[in-house]
Amino acid sequence: MDTKHIELNNKIKQKNKDGFYNLESDIEAIKKYKISIVHPNYRNEVSQFKRISRLIDEGYYNPKLIKLYTETQIKELDDYAKSFNFKFKSYMSIKKFFEDYATKSNDRKEFLENYEDRVIVISMWLAQGNMKQAKELIEEILTGRYQPATPTFQDAGRYNFGEMVSCFLLEMDDNLNSIIYNLGTSMHLSKLGGGIAVNVTNIRSRGESLRGVKGVTAGVMPVLKLLEDSFAFANKMDQRNGAGAAYLSIFHWDILEFLDTKKINADEKHRLQLLALGVTIPNKFFELAKENEDIALFAPLTVRKAYGEHLSNMNIDEMYDTLKNDDRVEKQFVSARKLLLKISQTQMESGYPYIVYLDTANKYHPLKDIGKIKMSNLCTEIFQLQETSNITNYFKKDEIKRDINCNLGSLNIVNVMESKDIERTVSRATDSLTAVVELTDIKIAPGVRKANKEMRSIGLGALNLHGYLTKNKIFYESKEAQEFASVFFAAVNYYSIKRSSELAVEKNFKFRDFDKSEYAKGTYFDKYENEEFLPKLKKVKDLFDGIKLPTKEDWMKLKRKVKKNGMYHAYRLAIAPNQSTAYIASATPSIMPITSMIESRTYGNSTTYYPMPYLNKNNQLFYKSAYHMKQENIIDLVAKIQPHIDQGISTILFVDSDASTRDLAKLYLYGYKKELKSLYYTRTRNKKIEECEMCHA
């Protein structure tokens, strides 16, 4: 096997005569990969129409695809796609695409698609015969302005392979039927390629009663083990591993045992290796920690027996003292500060648990009078209302309520800004995500299906923020970066709402209970009536030169339009981690800072290097590693963006191995103070005595 392409890529780290990285070697690696890997193994056809027809006959593409377009139209789309002269910008990008995204023969020996082929099929499928929309999506993807998320990018137009939806959120009730139902649903969804998160807060704790017998229940631990085994077993044909998370309230009796499952020295019978963990934390906990008081951990079954309500449905801030003083409610007490430090210690060791600032999420929830946010997803950017289905008996009619699903896609900030037209890409991306909503009908998950039909939720995000800042020689931790991010995402929010309202008219559909939302009341628009999100700093003004940004007057006009016409989507914006698709787009992931100017990834027995986009000798200082940044500054930037995002933002913390648990706990408190909705993974780096990259590059 020819490995010259890997060797060329690995030469990046070798310095040129000027002492800088040998980035030209990465371009040579792309060429060599095409010659030695792609060209010999790519199945050529005489035309795009013949290619699609053959792959339908062989069972790779959905048969409906060919019925939506004529042969002439397919040739037109093919010619249009080729006119963009797409080129991969990094070795990682081309390698990632052909290994993980391109359709391959069942024996994995042939590539049945190149990049343009995949984009054409995605656009044809999502446009469902609409040539104008198909061309628009081809343009947005091939110009690099919009990047669909992995499930859509992999599966659109393919036959019997998986869903285009990125993530699903389920809630268990405290009975065996519900547990079995959710385990089965999780396995089906995992098989389709989605990430699944399950709220287990309603499950009775260890030692509670069962059928009147006290002290016999095993708590959430066995359920967690079943979930972990389910995700490991049900994967997407080995193309995408099953991935899941479990969320538990910090006031649940089993919270200590829950956290202990990630301890390095945990007993193997209790250790969770693959399942991600998340903790939902109301404000009351932080108040108790601040006052150095003990926290009461409640037995959920006794709460429900006393008040007829699940712990996850309660407002703990309001009910805490009542529950604590009620003798009917069983409880145990631990130090709030020690529990906070235990969370940080667990994160230092494992990266988990994720943290959801539950009250902040509900405080800024545009649908707060319709339902409550109870948890988040596998990557902590999805925040939607959730209800508990009443799964009583499979042979009777169950009371199915709304779970959560969300399909994702990302704006490439660099290319959107350079196009000078934010509205165009936001509108087209919204249309693309809307098509995924309308083409999704997952009957095996009735709660998900119900929510999709009634809420039409999408999650438009972004990538390449650090890349854009570096290209324009702006430091990530600067005031200019904060102002740029705030102005950009305010505009994205505006054009997203505008397009959603237009779609409500075009499709004659408003999401369920729109009239109860903050959009219908007009209160959602208060912040834009009170403050104008336009650039003030000269550097930032220059960046937005020639780009139409919404003024206060525009926002007030939009407010009136929305109240009159409604909105198609209950939820619109969510910024995911998007690491994998960032490689495809040759971008920096999400809105997070980079960790290294030359990132390394080990696949099998080889290492691939990924140079950050636009990197050169003159801008390298602006690619400061996240590990060298003050983490409060990262949180500050996220806090500038969050008010414009109706859902959430995956926010990663980057700490060195010598950081103390107290330091990490302070960051949790700082995130709470800055009104973030969540903190995602904590990445810990083994600290070595070495020069920083900016100094020795």
Side-chain angles (χ1 to χ4, degrees):
M1 179 180 171
D2 187 352
T3 59
K4 184 73 179 296
H5 50 92
I6 299 174
E7 295 168 11
L8 285 166
N9 168 261
N10 289 180
K11 287 182 179 180
I12 289 176
K13 283 280 193 174
Q14 297 177 4
K15 304 299 173 61
N16 290 324
K17 292 179 181 178
D18 61 359
F20 193 61
Y21 296 113
N22 181 21
L23 299 182
E24 295 80 10
S25 183
D26 198 52
I27 304 303
E28 292 302 313
I30 296 172
K31 295 176 184 176
K32 186 63 179 174
Y33 187 84
K34 283 182 180 178
I35 293 169
S36 61
I37 302 297
V38 178
H39 293 166
N41 300 303
Y42 174 68
R43 183 199 287 180
N44 272 307
E45 293 286 354
V46 295
S47 70
Q48 190 67 247
F49 179 81
K50 293 287 187 184
R51 192 187 69 81
I52 292 172
S53 299
R54 181 172 173 180
L55 294 185
I56 287 173
D57 291 342
E58 293 179 1
Y60 293 104
Y61 285 167
N62 194 307
K64 295 178 183 177
L65 193 66
I66 204 75
K67 299 175 183 177
L68 297 168
Y69 302 86
T70 66
E71 184 173 356
T72 301
Q73 287 176 321
I74 293 174
K75 184 181 186 307
E76 183 180 343
L77 293 175
D78 189 40
D79 290 342
Y80 186 64
K82 289 174 181 174
S83 72
F84 290 96
N85 195 27
F86 172 83
K87 288 183 173 61
F88 288 101
K89 295 182 176 65
S90 69
Y91 174 74
M92 176 71 89
S93 178
I94 188 171
K95 188 170 185 285
K96 189 75 173 170
F97 172 75
F98 280 102
E99 289 189 359
D100 294 345
Y101 290 87
T103 301
K104 291 184 277 292
S105 59
N106 289 333
D107 62 8
R108 307 286 179 103
K109 292 181 179 180
E110 280 187 300
F111 296 121
L112 306 180
E113 295 174 321
N114 61 27
Y115 193 82
E116 288 94 335
D117 297 333
R118 178 92 292 259
V119 172
I120 290 167
V121 170
I122 291 168
S123 303
M124 287 173 62
W125 184 248
L126 295 184
Q128 289 289 292
N130 184 324
M131 280 291 287
K132 179 177 180 293
Q133 188 174 341
K135 279 190 165 185
E136 288 175 349
L137 188 51
I138 286 172
E139 179 185 350
E140 293 304 319
I141 298 176
L142 289 179
T143 58
R145 297 195 292 260
Y146 174 65
Q147 176 62 51
T150 291
T152 302
F153 205 65
Q154 281 183 339
D155 294 339
R158 297 176 72 174
Y159 183 65
N160 197 26
F161 204 77
E163 290 290 339
M164 296 181 287
V165 181
S166 295
C167 51
F168 304 93
L169 288 75
L170 310 174
E171 182 173 41
M172 281 186 176
D173 200 355
D174 184 37
N175 61 70
L176 189 58
N177 281 339
S178 179
I179 292 170
I180 293 170
Y181 166 80
N182 278 280
L183 285 169
T185 301
S186 295
M187 292 178 75
H188 281 300
L189 295 173
S190 180
K191 179 185 70 176
L192 297 175
I196 301 99
V198 183
N199 183 16
V200 296
T201 295
N202 295 334
I203 302 294
R204 67 190 71 186
S205 57
R206 183 179 290 279
E208 287 200 78
S209 63
L210 180 65
R211 298 175 186 170
V213 181
K214 291 184 178 181
V216 296
T217 56
V220 300
M221 190 62 225
V223 176
L224 300 178
K225 295 293 283 187
L226 287 169
L227 281 170
E228 178 165 76
D229 291 343
S230 297
F231 295 131
F233 175 74
N235 61 53
K236 188 184 170 187
M237 297 170 62
D238 286 331
Q239 185 177 21
R240 195 176 187 198
N241 292 330
Y247 279 85
L248 189 70
S249 169
I250 200 161
F251 288 95
H252 193 287
W253 182 288
D254 288 347
I255 188 64
L256 298 172
E257 186 177 8
F258 183 77
L259 296 172
D260 282 344
T261 61
K262 289 296 181 182
K263 287 174 63 175
I264 294 174
N265 60 351
D267 186 288
E268 282 304 311
K269 289 190 295 184
H270 299 289
R271 180 168 169 74
L272 296 172
Q273 295 182 339
L274 302 175
L275 189 70
L277 302 183
V279 177
T280 58
I281 307 180
N283 291 349
K284 187 65 181 179
F285 172 76
F286 293 109
E287 293 171 9
L288 294 169
K290 182 180 178 181
E291 299 299 324
N292 198 19
E293 294 184 14
D294 286 346
I295 173 178
L297 307 178
F298 302 113
L301 178 62
T302 63
V303 171
R304 192 168 84 253
K305 283 184 174 180
Y307 293 91
E309 189 175 7
H310 279 303
L311 186 63
S312 66
N313 292 334
M314 282 186 166
N315 185 325
I316 293 295
D317 291 348
E318 294 177 359
M319 290 295 297
Y320 178 76
D321 289 333
T322 301
L323 295 175
K324 186 180 75 169
N325 296 320
D326 191 334
D327 292 337
R328 296 174 299 173
V329 176
E330 294 181 10
K331 59 195 75 72
Q332 61 174 319
F333 292 90
V334 298
S335 164
R337 286 190 181 176
K338 286 184 179 178
L339 181 52
L340 186 63
L341 292 174
K342 185 177 181 66
I343 290 172
S344 63
Q345 180 182 3
T346 306
Q347 276 211 336
M348 290 289 288
E349 292 181 1
S350 67
Y352 304 106
Y354 309 147
I355 290 173
V356 169
Y357 299 106
L358 200 58
D359 288 334
T360 301
N362 280 289
K363 177 182 177 181
Y364 295 106
H365 183 205
L367 278 61
K368 58 171 60 74
D369 288 339
I370 304 173
K372 181 182 178 182
I373 293 167
K374 302 180 184 180
M375 59 181 290
S376 188
N377 66 318
L378 188 60
C379 302
T380 71
E381 82 278 4
I382 299 302
F383 288 90
Q384 300 178 19
L385 67 85
Q386 190 171 27
E387 300 160 333
T388 311
S389 292
N390 182 23
I391 308 297
T392 54
N393 191 311
Y394 288 112
F395 300 102
K396 295 180 181 178
K397 185 177 180 181
D398 296 318
E399 189 182 352
I400 298 295
K401 296 189 178 180
R402 287 175 289 197
D403 283 310
I404 298 168
N405 74 155
C406 202
N407 57 89
L408 306 172
S410 298
L411 306 171
N412 187 322
I413 295 172
V414 170
N415 297 329
V416 171
M417 285 295 293
E418 292 181 356
S419 77
K420 300 291 185 181
D421 195 340
I422 298 174
E423 179 175 12
R424 175 182 57 192
T425 298
V426 170
S427 297
R428 291 175 176 180
T430 300
D431 288 349
S432 170
L433 291 167
T434 301
V436 177
V437 165
E438 294 174 342
L439 289 166
T440 298
D441 187 25
I442 306 176
K443 296 177 182 178
I444 56 172
V448 166
R449 187 187 192 203
K450 179 180 176 68
N452 186 60
K453 285 183 177 296
E454 295 180 358
M455 311 306 280
R456 297 307 202 205
S457 301
I458 61 175
L460 179 60
L463 46 74
N464 220 4
L465 176 59
H466 202 173
Y468 179 77
L469 296 173
T470 294
K471 190 173 185 183
N472 289 279
K473 295 187 176 180
I474 296 173
F475 286 106
Y476 187 93
E477 297 173 275
S478 67
K479 293 296 182 185
E480 287 85 356
Q482 290 186 18
E483 183 174 278
F484 167 77
S486 180
V487 172
F488 179 82
F489 284 102
V492 169
N493 191 24
Y494 174 87
Y495 291 122
S496 171
I497 295 172
K498 181 182 178 186
R499 184 60 188 141
S500 185
S501 189
E502 290 168 352
L503 285 169
V505 175
E506 291 174 19
K507 296 177 180 292
N508 192 29
F509 177 90
K510 292 186 286 188
F511 70 80
R512 184 179 173 184
D513 295 326
F514 165 80
D515 294 340
K516 298 178 184 177
S517 71
E518 304 303 303
Y519 301 112
K521 297 173 189 174
T523 52
Y524 180 84
F525 300 92
D526 287 351
K527 59 179 172 285
Y528 299 105
E529 192 169 8
N530 297 329
E531 182 180 355
E532 197 152 47
F533 292 91
L534 296 175
K536 301 174 182 65
L537 300 172
K538 183 182 183 306
K539 178 83 173 179
V540 183
K541 283 183 179 179
D542 291 343
L543 295 176
F544 285 101
D545 184 47
I547 297 175
K548 187 180 185 307
L549 297 172
T551 63
K552 276 188 182 181
E553 291 72 23
D554 292 327
W555 276 104
M556 293 309 100
K557 287 179 184 176
L558 182 61
K559 174 182 175 179
R560 293 190 291 272
K561 178 182 177 181
V562 167
K563 291 181 76 171
K564 177 184 177 183
N565 298 329
M567 286 171 58
Y568 187 80
H569 312 92
Y571 302 94
R572 299 164 290 105
L573 304 176
I575 302 180
N578 58 39
Q579 178 74 72
S580 184
T581 49
Y583 288 142
I584 299 296
S586 292
T588 61
S590 189
I591 60 164
M592 289 287 100
I594 61 122
T595 57
S596 175
M597 284 191 292
I598 307 289
E599 184 180 312
S600 65
R601 283 285 181 267
T602 300
Y603 299 98
N605 58 359
S606 66
T607 298
T608 299
Y609 290 99
Y610 174 64
M612 292 302 111
Y614 326 111
L615 176 63
N616 59 54
K617 193 171 184 179
N618 296 322
N619 66 20
Q620 60 179 310
L621 288 174
F622 296 91
Y623 264 138
K624 184 178 179 181
S625 169
Y627 289 108
H628 297 142
M629 291 182 183
K630 188 178 180 182
Q631 297 303 295
E632 287 85 350
N633 292 340
I634 298 175
I635 291 172
D636 286 342
L637 189 143
V638 175
K640 285 289 185 180
I641 299 171
Q642 183 60 79
H644 309 300
I645 307 298
D646 63 324
Q647 296 190 71
I649 301 169
S650 289
T651 305
I652 301 170
L653 296 178
F654 306 86
V655 298
D656 283 318
S657 55
D658 63 349
S660 71
T661 55
R662 195 171 298 274
D663 291 336
L664 195 52
K666 286 179 181 178
L667 292 176
Y668 304 155
L669 293 169
Y670 191 74
Y672 162 67
K673 177 184 175 184
K674 298 296 291 188
E675 294 194 311
L676 267 58
K677 292 183 181 179
S678 65
L679 290 173
Y680 179 39
Y681 202 72
T682 293
R683 294 183 64 174
T684 304
R685 179 184 66 167
N686 289 325
K687 195 169 184 181
K688 298 176 182 177
I689 301 173
E690 59 182 16
E691 294 179 89
C692 77
E693 285 180 289
M694 281 77 75
C695 298
H696 68 68

